[in-house]
Each structure stands twice: as structure tokens, then as C-alpha cells.
Amino acid sequence: MSPNLSEHLSELRLRWLALSRNVRRSVVGAVILVAGLGVFAWAHRDPVERAVARGDLRAARTELRQRQVAEQGARSYDAGRIAEAQGSFRAAAASYVAATRQGDERGLSRLIEMTRDPSCPARSAAAVALAKVHDERSVRALKELRRARFADERKKSRRHPACDSRRVARDALKRARKV
């Protein structure tokens, strides 16, 4: 070792020992945390990149397809949220069904939430859509809707004459059980 390097190391050692025990522990903990985060980031990098790095091109293509389907599900869900905000409940429900089929569980959750909406057309659209989703949660939501009572049921208005989401839920349950 060169004398210059040796002097620097001795100086660093003395400075390190001059620090309090708590400060030294904090520095060691921070170094371990940064190293752990680095290892975590390296191990969890992009799955397509990992597959390509190990030479498994089939797995890389599969990962890419899965990612594209997941992105389609998110786009369908977002389109449903926009349609719902505009009051286009049928279009929203159709988008939520598409999102659910593309792997975005938020679509099913939103449909179930729509069965509790104060608007009868929203509940009815959700009930029709839930009949197409073959899931135990959708059947449970339809049963709850069939039993529920809402203030706007059977009221006639110019826009929605005699809406009956309970009847729609009952019919949707029949369709869901046939499949």
C-alpha cells in the first residue's frame, strides 16, 4: 500500500471512530437499505427484459402480450368511468365488462358499486352487465339488488318511464344461471 493511501485510510478510520455510536449505526443502516433497494430493483426489473436476458424469447413474447392485455383492460375501465360520468350507463357497463374480461378487476368492482347507485338506469345497466360476468360476486350483487328497495323505483318520468331495477336484477339472475 502506498504511504499516501495508508494515511487516508487511517484518517478515515479516525473520523469514523470519532462519530457517535448512533450515527455510525444510522450510516450502516442507510448503506444496507440502499444496497437492499438496489438488489430489489435488479431482481424485479421488467419481466420482458429478464426473459430476453436469459434467452427465453417465448416467455418474453408471452409477457409482452399479457402487458398489452392489462393495458387494454385499464383503457376499457377508464372509458367506462368517462361514460358513467356522462350518464351513459349502458356504455359504461359494457366497458366495465370488457375491462373485467381483460383482467382488470376494477371493472367488476365498479359494476357491483353501480348496483347501489341512486339512479335506476345505472342499477339496471349494471344488472344486465353482471349477468354476462360469470363470477360469484356478480351473482351476490344481483341477489342484493333484487332484494333492495330504492326511492326511484316505479316512478314514471319523461326520461325513464317506470324503471324497475329489481325486476332487471331478477331477469339477470335467470340469465346468469342458464349459462
Side-chain angles (χ1 to χ4, degrees):
M1 225 188 290
S2 71
N4 205 9
L5 180 63
S6 165
E7 290 174 16
H8 286 298
L9 288 176
S10 293
E11 185 179 332
L12 279 175
R13 183 175 180 273
L14 288 175
R15 285 186 180 178
W16 176 255
L17 293 174
L19 296 173
S20 71
R21 176 180 264 173
N22 287 338
V23 172
R24 288 191 307 240
R25 285 183 180 169
S26 296
V27 169
V28 169
V31 168
I32 291 172
L33 178 68
V34 168
L37 288 173
V39 168
F40 180 80
W42 179 80
H44 289 89
R45 65 182 192 255
D46 186 29
V48 175
E49 289 293 327
R50 280 197 316 254
V52 169
R54 68 177 182 264
D56 190 355
L57 298 181
R58 179 178 289 156
R61 284 189 204 102
T62 303
E63 289 290 340
L64 184 60
R65 272 190 238 108
Q66 288 174 349
R67 181 185 304 157
Q68 288 170 341
V69 168
E71 289 170 1
Q72 289 173 346
R75 279 196 296 273
S76 294
Y77 177 80
D78 292 340
R81 291 295 288 162
I82 292 168
E84 185 179 355
Q86 294 172 336
S88 301
F89 299 117
R90 287 183 187 161
S95 293
Y96 294 146
V97 169
T100 302
R101 288 182 177 159
Q102 292 163 339
D104 193 337
E105 289 294 316
R106 297 178 303 165
L108 178 59
S109 298
R110 190 68 202 137
L111 282 171
I112 292 170
E113 288 176 33
M114 281 178 67
T115 62
R116 301 177 193 109
D117 195 280
S119 167
C120 184
R123 292 189 307 270
S124 298
V128 170
L130 284 171
K132 298 174 186 173
V133 178
H134 306 293
D135 188 271
E136 140 185 343
R137 293 172 290 176
S138 64
V139 172
R140 199 173 4 192
L142 287 170
K143 287 178 180 178
E144 288 174 15
L145 179 58
R146 184 183 62 188
R147 288 189 302 266
R149 300 220 183 265
F150 293 94
D152 66 345
E153 293 287 320
R154 295 272 185 199
K155 287 185 180 176
K156 290 187 178 185
S157 69
R158 281 187 229 155
R159 189 168 179 200
H160 306 289
C163 186
D164 188 358
S165 60
R166 294 174 68 199
R167 179 188 51 77
V168 174
R170 186 178 60 242
D171 295 345
L173 271 170
K174 288 178 186 175
R175 282 193 305 275
R177 288 180 180 144
K178 285 182 181 178
V179 176

